[in-house]
Amino acid sequence: MALERTLCIIKPDAVEKRKQGAILQRLQEEGFQIIGLRQAQLARQIAEGFYAVHRERPFFAELCTFMTRSPVLLIALERENAVQHLRSVIGATDPAKAAEGTVRKQFGSSVAENAVHGSDSPENGRLETSYYFQGSELV
Ligand code: ADP
Ligand code: MG
């Protein structure tokens, strides 16, 4: 299996609940290497660019307002099978439907405010990591 990169974001709801430490601990326990880490207050334009694939969805404006409400933690991760493994650790988009033991089940509040982001394909793992991190910031 190939070493992959994926992007995790600890979203504003989880930062407001002070769950950054618990989520970072879980990521480390799951065997991810943290190769980049930065706190940021996202500008609306940055959030809109990141979620551009969803711009026609009815929740797009709400999503961008949410993502810019409070700081987020941007986390570039590396691991064998990183993309699929992170998706399984975070769980379904809707915390109410997420499996027991997943991060969204544990810390998410609603389908909108679901605590964390995880890239959905190896290609997006690379693209999303480079959306927020320069190569020289990844170690
Ligand atoms: P995922 O984050 O699991 O990949 P999507 O890519 O479909 O899910 O959606 C991106 C983000 O948009 C979700 O994580 C969530 O914050 C928000 N979102 C998705 N569906 C809805 C919805 N029906 N209503 C409000 N917000 C939503
Ligand atoms: Mg997605």
Side-chain angles (χ1 to χ4, degrees), residues 11 51 53-54 57 59 62-63 66-67 87 90-94 104 110-114 116-120:
K11 295 184 179 184
Y51 282 118
V53 65
H54 294 308
R57 302 277 201 97
F59 58 81
E62 177 195 348
L63 173 59
F66 164 55
M67 291 299 291
R87 293 294 299 200
I90 70 178
T93 306
D94 184 351
R104 283 169 164 171
S110 68
V111 67
E113 302 200 7
N114 56 6
V116 282
H117 170 83
S119 305
D120 65 3

Side-chain angles (χ1 to χ4, degrees), residues 34-75:
I34 296 170
I35 60 168
L37 177 63
R38 185 170 81 251
Q39 181 165 252
Q41 173 79 54
L42 298 184
R44 186 157 191 109
Q45 196 187 330
I46 298 292
E48 287 175 352
F50 183 72
Y51 282 118
V53 65
H54 294 308
R55 67 185 170 273
E56 305 302 336
R57 302 277 201 97
F59 58 81
F60 181 67
E62 177 195 348
L63 173 59
C64 294
T65 298
F66 164 55
M67 291 299 291
T68 56
R69 181 173 82 197
S70 298
V72 297
L73 225 58
L74 304 166
I75 313 163

